[in-house]
Amino acid sequence: MVVVEDVVIVGAGIAGLTTSLGLHKLGIRSLVLESSESLRATGFALTTWTNAWRALDAVGIADSLRPEHLLVQRMEVTSIISGEVTERMLETKGKQATHEFRCVKRKLLLEALEKALPSGTVRFSSKVVSIEESGHFKLLQLADGTILKTKVLVGCDGVNSVVAKWLGFKKPNFVGRSSIRGYADYKGSHGFEPKFQQFFGKGIRTGFIPCDNQTVYWYFTWINSNQDEELEDNPVKIKQFVLSKVPEQVKAVVENTPLDYITASPLRFRHPWEILRGNISKGSVCVAGDALHPMTPDIGQGGCSALEDGIVLARCIAETLKNKEKACEEREEFMMIEMGLKKFADERRWRSFQLISTAYVVGFIQQKDGMIVNLLRDKILSVFLGSLLMKIADFDCGKLIISETSHSGT
């Protein structure tokens, strides 16, 4: 039996759920396929800058998340080599509005997105094993034997995206660094200020941010060696490794972290020129989120940009499908869909290129050693890092408003 859907989204992560909720708000039904048995909260938490909160406001769930997470007021950057400390206030005025920065629990974010969707929108244990063409439609073969036929296919299936591969993208590249992340629950007040503390130098980058008055998210990235490969599957060794490398300020947080709340993974990114030259969309297929722009975590924009993608993509798809009555035949309808997805690709291509490139350069400077790099990091980057991060975050993806009379803009 072949099940027919207008819009199928592969992946119930941040980009997939945001796109689906955006479409729902605009009156378009979608089906979200998730290969796992439940929502995945890998990574525990994510930094959400001003641009992310604008996207969350657009889909109507920001106010349910704000009371659960502290408003982070300051960022403190410390050089491990020189000991120099640079502070920056984060509650400053941007071009659009006052900046807003919080560290959000990934599980709460995903649950809020799913809860706002109609029942049955997300189908779990649904792994896509192949994509085929059937005229203008796409046929998705699932691992359980189900075949789905869809007009619009959106890949939000992460760094190992099946949809990105179908579009011709290569696998993301390993950058030579890995990340360890953890989540400490103090079962009471941790006593930390609402401050983002970062430390870098000697080949590492580490720091921590309170999520609320009880929990703290921390991270540690380092330049890999062959001996580090065994760490990924050994939580005890991972924790010992981090404790042997981080400053005293971070050790206290790591020591309070259970082994179940520590994870390690290699850092991967897509070469920026692939974004400029590659097929972000092709016909009635496109990608968003990590499937489109996997990036290193050095500017904290991975999840934020996925939220941006969801709003822009929902607008572009809904505008096309809302105006489909203008199409006299199937071919014209699919031409309109293709134009809508191309519009999304054009709008997100340069933004994705900028974010990937900036994250890579910032990470390179923060973790490399050498006299010139140390000078760049301690005297220049540390001073301007806060301003750079806020400038990147001062971006507005727009609201969920579409034109009912024209397909030329929103």
Side-chain angles (χ1 to χ4, degrees), residues 260-333:
D260 289 347
Y261 289 172
I262 299 176
T263 183
S265 59
L267 296 180
R268 302 185 183 281
F269 83 130
R270 194 177 301 292
H271 286 303
W273 53 85
E274 290 185 58
I275 298 294
L276 294 183
R277 298 186 309 203
N279 292 321
I280 295 176
S281 71
K282 182 180 178 181
S284 60
V285 181
C286 75
V287 283
D290 281 347
L292 167 59
H293 46 59
M295 67 186 76
T296 61
D298 305 287
I299 57 173
Q301 279 291 332
C304 300
S305 56
L307 287 163
E308 292 177 11
D309 287 346
I311 302 302
V312 177
L313 182 54
R315 245 190 349 250
C316 292
I317 293 175
E319 185 177 65
T320 295
L321 296 182
K322 283 281 188 178
N323 287 300
K324 67 181 180 180
E325 65 271 9
K326 293 181 180 180
C328 299
E329 55 185 44
E330 181 182 286
R331 184 180 64 84
E332 291 184 1
E333 181 181 356

Side-chain angles (χ1 to χ4, degrees), residues 178-205:
S178 288
S179 174
I180 296 172
R181 290 164 288 178
Y183 180 71
D185 189 339
Y186 283 73
K187 308 300 182 184
S189 177
H190 48 62
F192 291 115
E193 297 178 56
K195 179 171 65 174
F196 180 14
Q197 297 196 54
Q198 289 197 71
F199 306 81
F200 51 69
K202 297 183 179 179
I204 70 169
R205 173 179 172 269

